[in-house]
Amino acid sequence: MSLTAMITAGLALGAAPTPAALASESTPGAPVVVAVLDTGIAEHPDLGWQVAQDNSGTPGGAILPGYDFVSDPWSAADGDGWDSDPTDRGDGLKPREAANRPECRARVSTWHGTNVAGTIAAQNATKRPSLGIAPNSRVLPVRIMGRCGGNTADVTAGLLWAVGEPVPDVPVNPHPADIVNVSLGGTADRCPRSLQTAIDIARERGAIVVSAAGSTGQNTATTTPANCEGVITVAAVDRKGARSPTSNFGSEVTLAALGGDMSTGERNGIFATTNTGRYRPRDAAFGYYQGSSAAAARVSGALAALAERHPEADAAALTSKLLSATTPFVPGQCDRGDGNCGVGILDLKRVLNSS
Amino acid sequence: MTTHFMASEPHGECVQRLGVLSARWLLAVLWAMSACTTDSAGAKTIDSTQRTEVNEIIVRYEKGAPMHTLGGRPWGAQCVTGKYQERLIRDRGLGARMRVLRVEPRVPARVAEMIATQIEQCPFIEWAEADVIRFTSSS
């Protein structure tokens, strides 16, 4: 979506207040809720999620009670379909497991949801370098990807649940999200209708949906939900402000944010909460990740920080503030001719210093 | 307001087009569903090798359909694989043995139940949008 279209769409939301604004009227100082639609959440002291010996997860710290919408028991690796425990069981796939599934590739677990959650709201309980952009916000973990990714139906259900929509056979989410982070992507020449409908409903409820542009180095026209209407699509740039080599680009991109480029060294990635497990969860750890996932998480964190500072602001106003806190690209940084990286690069300092 | 319902060409699916408008929408649903039953009874049989086991369906509004809600919400239908274990196949007629997972946007429970009953009796449901997209993390 073009910047103009984005602003227009944002303004078209009219006077509908965000859930944050509504909550602030009834519960002064209520934390901003950021739903993280991802691989789930692993135990980490900087986040507060705890996992018992029986593998059941318990919310705490920055993490609210979430839900697991991975319907395929094999993919979920937890023995069942939808359930109330969004603990990340690992999305890694051993070579012999991948051999029987041609659509999947072997890899170690990413702990992607834990990466993203830390970028948004890690609370620095370990006194390590602070990660969370909005440590007073709360992360709503919505697990929609497992081994070999996720599917449209699960993503759609997770998104609807995240914003407070009733989903059959699932308790209503008591903490509707103000911001929904979807650092994921699938290849589709148009936004799936079911997903677009869910996004429309989320926006009608006052939520802001932030999507990664994708990290396959291609045009966002064929990446979804980056190509859905009404989402804030985020491309990744490196520390010099140039588009990260793997970041997608295109007219659907709203803005760019730091996503790192680990091809030039691990430390040029984004420092994050993670886990040491290769396939299944083991110990909490810190590490680096990169890509438009990290960039989108930074934008979601920035929006949460803005919502904390402006509890009266609705989605359109927050979006406007976000876009005004960007630095224009230097010519050549993202002008491949067939797309762009949006209005500019998120200036996080400007967001955090705003009053 | 128009409501039409027809058997579609490729695999004889029961293609549904129903809509909701003001106080008359309930009648429209009833009419459409009865038409569904009638049409689908005469629908062509699809090749069993082209049939995907399906037992759950999401009914939702579909963009471009002739009918829509007062709020302009599109509607359509989306099926989910049986036991959630198989990926779905695009543009294929899908067999019965399904239950309605939900109706989007929300409708009164009584109406949702009615839609569910009728769809479950309809041998073929339009494959409005198959779940062939595989999402992976964007890092």
Side-chain angles (χ1 to χ4, degrees):
Chain A
M1 174 179 280
S2 69
L3 170 64
T4 305
M6 187 69 230
I7 293 173
T8 304
L11 293 175
L13 286 170
T18 63
L22 291 171
S24 68
E25 291 173 7
S26 56
T27 314
V32 176
V33 177
V34 185
V36 173
L37 270 64
D38 216 292
T39 60
I41 192 87
E43 183 170 86
H44 202 290
D46 274 25
L47 293 172
W49 186 258
Q50 295 184 339
V51 180
Q53 283 193 332
D54 65 355
N55 289 328
S56 61
T58 307
I63 311 297
L64 294 167
Y67 212 83
D68 176 7
F69 284 95
V70 179
S71 53
D72 181 342
W74 176 83
S75 179
D78 60 1
D80 59 24
W82 291 8
D83 63 59
S84 60
D85 188 349
T87 298
D88 189 342
R89 311 291 179 179
D91 59 353
L93 201 59
K94 296 175 182 174
R96 61 179 166 78
E97 294 174 315
N100 296 326
R101 293 180 179 262
E103 75 276 21
C104 306
R105 60 183 174 85
R107 68 173 185 186
V108 296
S109 290
T110 61
W111 313 113
H112 193 262
T114 304
N115 298 161
V116 168
T119 296
I120 295 169
Q123 294 180 328
N124 201 22
T126 56
K127 308 299 181 190
R128 295 284 298 270
S130 185
L131 302 169
I133 293 169
N136 294 322
S137 66
R138 294 291 177 268
V139 166
L140 180 74
V142 183
R143 189 177 184 227
I144 44 77
M145 288 187 291
R147 293 194 286 180
C148 205
N151 65 49
T152 314
D154 292 349
V155 173
T156 301
L159 176 52
L160 290 169
W161 182 84
V163 297
E165 276 287 305
V167 175
D169 305 324
V170 178
V172 173
N173 168 25
H175 305 286
D178 308 297
I179 299 152
V180 181
N181 188 91
V182 278
S183 286
L184 52 89
T187 300
D189 57 9
R190 63 179 176 82
C191 178
R193 282 172 293 196
S194 58
L195 189 53
Q196 185 63 64
T197 301
I199 289 167
D200 293 346
I201 290 171
R203 296 182 71 220
E204 285 170 11
R205 283 181 165 267
I208 301 172
V209 181
V210 179
S211 170
S215 298
T216 50
Q218 65 188 46
N219 197 293
T220 44
T222 55
T223 305
T224 200
N227 62 2
C228 296
E229 292 288 329
V231 300
I232 293 178
T233 297
V234 187
V237 295
D238 63 18
R239 296 191 186 282
K240 294 178 181 174
R243 180 174 67 83
S244 302
T246 59
S247 177
N248 291 1
F249 51 87
S251 60
E252 290 80 9
V253 175
T254 310
L255 79 165
L258 181 63
D261 176 13
M262 290 167 65
S263 67
T264 57
E266 185 182 74
R267 289 177 183 275
N268 285 329
I270 304 298
F271 193 62
T273 45
T274 188
N275 191 280
T276 61
R278 280 179 63 79
Y279 297 102
R280 298 291 169 264
R282 287 191 61 186
D283 301 320
F286 293 96
Y288 293 88
Y289 75 129
Q290 66 172 349
S292 60
S293 290
R298 288 173 74 86
V299 166
S300 290
L303 282 165
L306 286 168
E308 289 169 359
R309 288 159 174 74
H310 306 280
E312 78 292 347
D314 63 11
L318 291 175
T319 301
S320 178
K321 289 179 187 298
L322 173 80
L323 297 181
S324 64
T326 55
T327 304
F329 280 98
V330 171
Q333 285 182 318
C334 184
D335 56 356
R336 290 287 178 95
D338 53 358
N340 59 58
C341 296
V343 63
I345 304 168
L346 173 66
D347 185 344
L348 201 53
K349 284 183 181 172
R350 245 154 84 191
V351 170
L352 298 177
N353 293 333
S354 69
S355 55
Chain B
M1 180 175 70
T2 59
T3 302
H4 66 272
F5 192 82
M6 59 187 179
S8 62
E9 297 78 22
H11 303 293
E13 310 99 308
C14 176
V15 180
Q16 301 169 63
R17 293 285 186 269
L18 65 126
V20 181
L21 188 65
S22 188
R24 293 187 295 171
W25 68 275
L26 179 58
L27 286 174
V29 169
L30 286 170
W31 185 88
M33 289 307 175
S34 64
C36 170
T37 305
T38 303
D39 263 12
S40 59
K44 289 177 288 187
T45 304
I46 65 169
D47 183 342
S48 60
T49 61
Q50 296 178 322
R51 183 177 292 180
T52 301
E53 292 274 326
V54 169
N55 64 2
E56 302 205 336
I57 181 170
I58 300 166
V59 177
R60 61 179 172 71
Y61 291 91
E62 180 182 33
K63 197 172 186 176
M67 299 293 304
H68 51 76
T69 63
L70 281 174
R73 178 102 64 218
W75 76 276
Q78 180 173 348
C79 300
V80 180
T81 52
K83 297 182 181 177
Y84 294 112
Q85 293 194 2
E86 295 179 11
R87 294 176 65 183
L88 305 180
I89 303 170
R90 195 174 193 121
D91 295 331
R92 290 194 174 172
L94 298 165
R97 291 179 297 175
M98 60 182 72
R99 73 181 179 93
V100 173
L101 198 61
R102 62 174 174 270
V103 178
E104 298 171 359
R106 285 172 294 167
V107 294
R110 198 160 56 91
V111 178
E113 186 179 345
M114 195 179 308
I115 291 173
T117 301
Q118 294 294 337
I119 281 182
E120 284 159 12
Q121 292 172 354
C122 181
F124 302 102
I125 301 295
E126 175 191 24
W127 187 254
E129 184 178 277
D131 192 8
V132 294
I133 299 169
R134 201 76 197 162
F135 289 92
T136 55
S137 54
S138 291
S139 289

